[in-house]
Amino acid sequence: MTAPVNFSLFSFTQPDRRPSRPRARRHMACWLALYCWLPYGALDAVAQTPACEPCHAIAPSQPFSTVASVAPEPIDAQSERQEKGVIARALIDRFRLKPKLANRIVAAVYSEAQARGLPPSLVLAIIAAESGFDPAATSTAGACGLMQVLPRYHRLLVKQLAPDANLYFPENNIRIGTAILQRYITVTAGDLDAALSSYSGGSAGYAARVHARWTEFNRIVNSPALLRQQPPILISQDR
């Protein structure tokens, strides 16, 4: 029988609490002004990108550059299922999530990330930085849920993808959060550094913090000791 693995070896830190700064507000205002010049159809195109082939966690580039450098790679269904179980086990151990919630989050992350051509491990890294995997997280600025979505800044996108939906549900929050990230990537012409900076409202060093968490998730996925285990798959869409 394989000995249990101590996930405390992975150096996750507490989620970042973005400060309210005039610079950040000016940064966000500039991006919102830019969105006003985008054609209306551009938002529809972003929100309805066709799904890609199944993908798995890949190593982030050094440093972040363009979205092409993080394009997901194909993976077979069995390997993807194994990855999901390994990630869920890590969330259960490190973030003290219940198994049902951990697997529910992982299922939503893989589904939405694949639909938007993003590595699931990148989305997981953003959730770790934003909320520490707390679906009920709420900031003083009104950002809510796992990916700390600010509904007042993304009303059209929320209306298109999840009208009248509860953004504290993991599936809804991750659907909107990944769409927002994809939109920033589109606006910045594929510059992932700039996209992450915009996602955080201009928080200094945010891209580097996401990078660190992204690296840790890839270490978990690529650990031979973890892959030899048979983690429970308890994926459920129950709310």
Side-chain angles (χ1 to χ4, degrees):
M1 180 175 180
T2 305
V5 177
N6 182 5
F7 284 98
S8 64
L9 296 176
F10 301 109
S11 58
F12 288 109
T13 57
Q14 293 300 314
D16 306 300
R17 303 302 179 191
R18 69 187 76 163
S20 176
R21 300 176 180 174
R23 179 182 176 186
R25 290 195 293 268
R26 289 196 300 272
H27 188 93
M28 181 62 71
C30 290
W31 279 113
L32 289 173
L34 178 59
Y35 295 150
C36 292
W37 290 94
L38 287 174
Y40 180 82
L43 294 178
D44 292 328
V46 170
Q48 298 175 7
T49 302
C52 65
E53 292 298 319
C55 55
H56 71 299
I58 59 175
S61 57
Q62 294 278 356
F64 289 143
S65 54
T66 65
V67 68
S69 66
V70 297
E73 298 176 356
I75 184 175
D76 62 84
Q78 181 178 355
S79 296
E80 181 180 306
R81 178 181 173 88
Q82 192 174 36
E83 276 189 11
K84 288 179 178 179
V86 169
I87 291 293
R89 186 180 292 275
L91 299 186
I92 292 166
D93 186 89
R94 173 60 183 86
F95 294 96
R96 301 295 186 264
L97 299 186
K98 293 182 178 179
K100 190 173 184 178
L101 176 59
N103 284 282
R104 180 179 170 184
I105 290 173
V106 171
V109 165
Y110 271 72
S111 175
E112 298 300 333
Q114 290 170 1
R116 302 187 184 285
L118 300 169
S121 53
L122 173 59
V123 178
L124 289 164
I126 291 173
I127 294 175
E130 290 288 337
S131 67
F133 290 91
D134 178 7
T138 305
S139 76
T140 56
C144 59
L146 292 168
M147 297 189 73
Q148 289 293 277
V149 173
L150 277 164
R152 68 178 182 271
Y153 289 140
H154 307 284
R155 290 174 182 171
L156 179 58
L157 201 58
V158 171
K159 183 178 180 180
Q160 289 175 331
L161 298 181
D164 303 319
N166 187 337
L167 293 182
Y168 289 100
F169 285 166
E171 294 81 6
N172 297 334
N173 194 276
I174 292 169
R175 182 179 307 119
I176 299 299
T178 53
I180 292 169
L181 177 61
Q182 187 188 44
R183 182 168 69 175
Y184 282 131
I185 290 172
T186 300
V187 170
T188 59
D191 186 332
L192 189 56
D193 253 337
L196 288 171
S197 178
S198 297
Y199 190 93
S200 70
S203 178
Y206 181 79
R209 293 193 292 274
V210 170
H211 175 94
R213 289 160 177 78
W214 191 11
T215 299
E216 292 302 326
F217 276 110
N218 280 300
R219 287 178 182 171
I220 292 172
V221 168
N222 295 321
S223 169
L226 299 182
L227 291 174
R228 283 197 297 269
Q229 295 188 14
Q230 297 298 321
I233 302 298
L234 306 172
I235 296 172
S236 172
Q237 299 300 319
D238 295 340
R239 290 176 171 78

